[in-house]
Each structure stands twice: as C-alpha cells, then as structure tokens.
Amino acid sequence: MKTNFGVLLALLLVLMPISGCQPEPEKKGDTAVQNENQVYQVSTINALMQGVYEGESTFGELQDKGNLGIGTFEALDGEMIMIDGVFYQVKSDGKVLVAAADQKTPFADITHYWADDVANIKSIDSMASLQKTIDPYLKNPNIFYAIRVDGTFDYIKARSVPAQSQPYPPLDQAIKQQQVFEYKNVEGTILGFWCPAYVNGINMPGYHFHFISKDRQQGGHLLECQVREALLGIDRTEDFAMHLPDSEAFSQSNLGQDQSKALNKVER
C-alpha cells in the first residue's frame, strides 16, 4: 500500500503544475491562433463601387480576425486602418480617431500579420518605385500578400472621403469629395495588401495601401510616397475568406460588371 500511495502521490505532483499552466502568447504556428494565414474580407469591391455603403460588420466582430487591415466605414465615412490590433478612422478633416467596437464597415480586409520576409529599404522616390522594390518578394502570383513598411518618409500623399448621404452615390462620384493630405518628414507605417489578378471584382488586383503616422495623428488612403529608410515586411497568405452582406442594396447590385478601369482611377 505504501508503494502504491507513493506512486500515486508522485503522479499527482507531476500533473498539478500542468493543469495550472497559462497558455503562451499567440504566435505563428500556434494552434490557438485560428486562421492565422488568412485574409478575411467583408463584402466585395464591386459592391462598394456601386454605392453599397451600409455597415455590414462591427469592428468588435472583426477584432479576432487579425492585427492588420484596411477598409472603410459605414456611409464611406473615412479610411480604416488596423495596425497592431487597433482600428483607426481617418476622417475627411484629417483627424485620426480610434474606432469604436460598435462602428461598422461596408468593406474591409484583415489578416493576422506575421512577416515571412523582411528587408531594409531606403531612398525610394515614388510609390511606383516602392512597388517595384516589393515585386521580387511576391514569387507566387496566385496568393495574397500582406505588406507593412515601417520607417521615415520624406513625403506622403494620402486622402480620405467624407460621409455620404442616402441614396448613396457610386464610389467614383463620392471620391470627387475626397480631401487630400500631404505630409513631409514623417515617421509611420504604410500597410496593405497585394491581391492576385483573378479576384478582379471581388477585390482590387495588385497593391492597395493605407498610411498612418507613428503618433497615430495622420493617415489615409495612400496616393504617393517617398521612402527615406524603412523596414519592409511581407506576409505570404494562402487562405481567403469573405463575408457577404445580407442587405437589399447588395442583393440588387450587378456585381458581374467589369469595373476595373473605374476602380483603378478611384483607388490610384
């Protein structure tokens, strides 16, 4: 009996610390992090182009979908930037606010960002040159990439759009009210996605970037940039999930139209 009790006691001493352990912080490869290699999207870009601006998902609902993202707000009220797990709203007057959990978005892309490739970059004189610098890292043209550029920028040109009133105009009309901001000698982050060609109509093929300053006081949809020096990070993403709106406006939209030319003009 003494021997059996001793064995039982030893087993209990071994098992007790295990049952009291706390989970480790989430990290890439941890099974506790669900959909870590996925771009999660709300609605389609063609729906947004046709004026489907009703909020579909709250930012509280999207909080666990990632730590990096871009998009917009209900009624197209400014530009959305998610960085380090926090949602920000860049208003058309240039103010940057932390988004409330109950605010809604009609369109967004979010992912759990973990850099697969990193590189130091500097002396890049335009957004076109930045894209050419990133191109060699995008070796598989049929998957998605999340991109983050942290550093000092000699020049940033960004924009935001004011809230629209119903009946909502199409995006190429709403964008005529955009406000453009120019920042010089600013620290911050360019972030966004590169999407493959076959998602035309669902998302924007190619690059789509937003910007937010290090102090979280400036930002918007990126139109142009000059990079002094920065750290480039690339996250290869093979999975894609999309949530479609359950609204009358969405159901009545003709999403089969090729709006690529109008989209390129609007976004770039």
Side-chain angles (χ1 to χ4, degrees), residues 26-28 33 36-37 67 112-117 234-236:
E26 66 176 35
K27 57 187 177 182
K28 193 166 188 179
V33 184
E36 66 175 21
N37 206 30
N67 55 15
H112 288 280
Y113 172 84
W114 313 93
D116 293 305
D117 296 299
I234 309 287
D235 181 15
R236 298 186 296 274

Side-chain angles (χ1 to χ4, degrees), residues 124-127 152-156 224-228:
I124 296 173
D125 63 1
S126 68
M127 188 157 72
T152 303
F153 302 89
D154 289 323
Y155 177 70
I156 290 288
E224 187 55 272
C225 67
Q226 294 175 358
V227 183
R228 185 182 305 170

Side-chain angles (χ1 to χ4, degrees), residues 65-258:
K65 301 300 183 182
N67 55 15
L68 177 146
I70 58 175
T72 188
F73 286 78
E74 185 168 35
L76 209 64
D77 185 15
E79 304 288 341
M80 184 277 281
I81 298 156
M82 184 192 203
I83 183 170
D84 298 330
V86 180
F87 290 101
Y88 294 91
Q89 180 181 18
V90 182
K91 301 279 286 184
S92 61
D93 61 1
K95 292 181 179 178
V96 181
L97 309 173
V98 175
D102 61 354
Q103 283 184 274
K104 292 184 176 182
T105 178
F107 180 83
D109 286 304
I110 298 170
T111 192
H112 288 280
Y113 172 84
W114 313 93
D116 293 305
D117 296 299
V118 294
N120 291 305
I121 59 176
K122 62 180 181 179
S123 303
I124 296 173
D125 63 1
S126 68
M127 188 157 72
S129 296
L130 175 61
Q131 292 173 1
K132 289 180 180 179
T133 300
I134 298 171
D135 283 345
Y137 295 94
L138 314 183
K139 296 179 181 179
N140 184 344
N142 295 318
I143 65 173
F144 295 77
Y145 295 87
I147 300 163
R148 180 168 170 163
V149 184
D150 295 277
T152 303
F153 302 89
D154 289 323
Y155 177 70
I156 290 288
K157 184 178 183 181
R159 68 116 189 271
S160 187
V161 179
Q164 304 296 299
S165 300
Q166 291 184 324
Y168 293 133
L171 189 56
D172 61 350
Q173 296 301 311
I175 214 72
K176 293 179 180 179
Q177 302 175 42
Q178 72 178 12
Q179 297 298 311
V180 176
F181 318 117
E182 294 182 286
Y183 311 123
K184 296 182 179 180
N185 189 28
V186 59
E187 290 185 79
T189 303
I190 291 171
L191 69 159
F193 296 88
W194 183 95
C195 297
Y198 60 80
V199 300
N200 184 34
I202 294 174
N203 205 314
M204 188 176 79
Y207 295 98
H208 183 174
F209 290 132
H210 287 190
F211 171 80
I212 190 164
S213 60
K214 186 177 180 179
D215 62 8
R216 308 298 189 245
Q217 297 299 306
Q218 300 168 316
H221 173 96
L222 187 68
L223 298 173
E224 187 55 272
C225 67
Q226 294 175 358
V227 183
R228 185 182 305 170
E229 56 181 357
L231 179 67
L232 166 67
I234 309 287
D235 181 15
R236 298 186 296 274
T237 308
E238 290 86 5
D239 292 342
F240 178 75
M242 183 167 58
H243 173 74
L244 297 177
D246 181 19
S247 68
E248 190 69 20
F250 184 82
S251 67
Q252 293 181 358
S253 298
N254 182 1
L255 302 182
Q257 297 178 4
D258 183 4

